Amino acid sequence: MIAPVVFLSISGCASTSQYNALDKTDTADSSSQKISLQKGGGYYLDDGPGDNPPNDIHLIPDAVPKLEPLRESNMRPYQVMGQSFEPMTSLEPYKERGMASWYGRRYHGNQTASGEVYDMYEMSAAHPTLPLPSYARVTNVQNGKSVTVRINDRGPFLSDRLIDLSYTAAYKLDLIADGSGEVIVETILPDQIQKIASSRAQEPSTVIAGNQKNANETYLQLGAFGTVNNARNYLSHIQERLPWLGKTINISKKNGLFKVHAGPYANQLLARQAANTITQRLSIRPVIIFD
């Protein structure tokens, strides 16, 4: 993204990953701070894609909308750069057209306004007033591509920007090279979320392996240990390094071994995609298993 200089205190709002990372050496002239990408476009200071992005990043699934409690701490009005913002306090219809930018490795691993850790390889976004957390559909006006993202951060605070996308979301919308682009942002409301959940519940639970169906659930095995203490230590290490795995990672005992698993995944394609991401981040190669 093209980020402004910010010397700020946010009243009644949790810290934002995008702007805590700025320091006093930044200048207000963001255009002079752009660093050219080898394949065109630009990004601010040392931001940009990671050195080793996951393989098949276009296969990373969109965020799945869920009914989640809104954070009251993110509902209070706040001020940034002399501007006042009044966040929405409930999920209401919202549809706006404006410019989207994106943010990458400069903020990767930082805490977002919602208290979560920003992961540039997840489908997330920052918005100055939409409820946290909430979900939105973002459509690239130029090419018609659309993605679903989870709003979990505040920003951008430039008047010509409507939303900041994660690196992956921007990649899937073809906004990486230019750094920004015109989009339509539309909230996903509770009735729509319930329809999505109902539709997913009716989907077959089997996965396809070649031309055959496999009724087992698909997991990733990250390690196997002879003692539960070693497995727990390894689990803590994985959770610290890969917080986006959340509650999908656990320990199971089988054949005298304590195994650290992630999943289940809806199909082998999603499992392979997650395995590729884990390999890039931790230099380990998870094994796809069926349980």
Side-chain angles (χ1 to χ4, degrees), residues 203-255:
E203 292 178 355
S205 60
T206 56
V207 296
I208 305 300
N211 294 324
Q212 299 181 357
K213 292 183 179 179
N214 187 325
N216 295 329
E217 291 184 310
T218 307
Y219 289 83
L220 295 178
Q221 180 174 305
L222 308 183
F225 302 88
T227 68
V228 68
N229 285 338
N230 285 342
R232 286 172 177 166
N233 290 337
Y234 188 71
L235 176 65
S236 297
H237 170 71
I238 296 295
Q239 290 174 326
E240 180 179 352
R241 296 290 303 277
L242 301 177
W244 53 271
L245 284 175
K247 296 181 180 180
T248 66
I249 186 170
N250 54 63
I251 299 172
S252 64
K253 185 178 181 181
K254 191 173 183 179
N255 299 328

Side-chain angles (χ1 to χ4, degrees), residues 174-196:
D174 287 339
L175 296 177
I176 294 296
D178 292 334
S180 62
E182 190 173 13
V183 300
I184 296 173
V185 177
E186 186 174 7
T187 53
I188 299 177
L189 300 174
D191 60 335
Q192 297 172 301
I193 294 176
Q194 291 176 342
K195 289 180 181 179
I196 293 172

Side-chain angles (χ1 to χ4, degrees), residues 4 8 10 16 19 78 80-81 83 85 128 154-159:
L8 60 89
I10 298 181
T16 59
Y19 302 100
Y78 65 97
V80 177
M81 299 176 64
Q83 302 178 77
F85 297 92
R154 288 296 180 221
F157 300 116
L158 288 175
S159 60

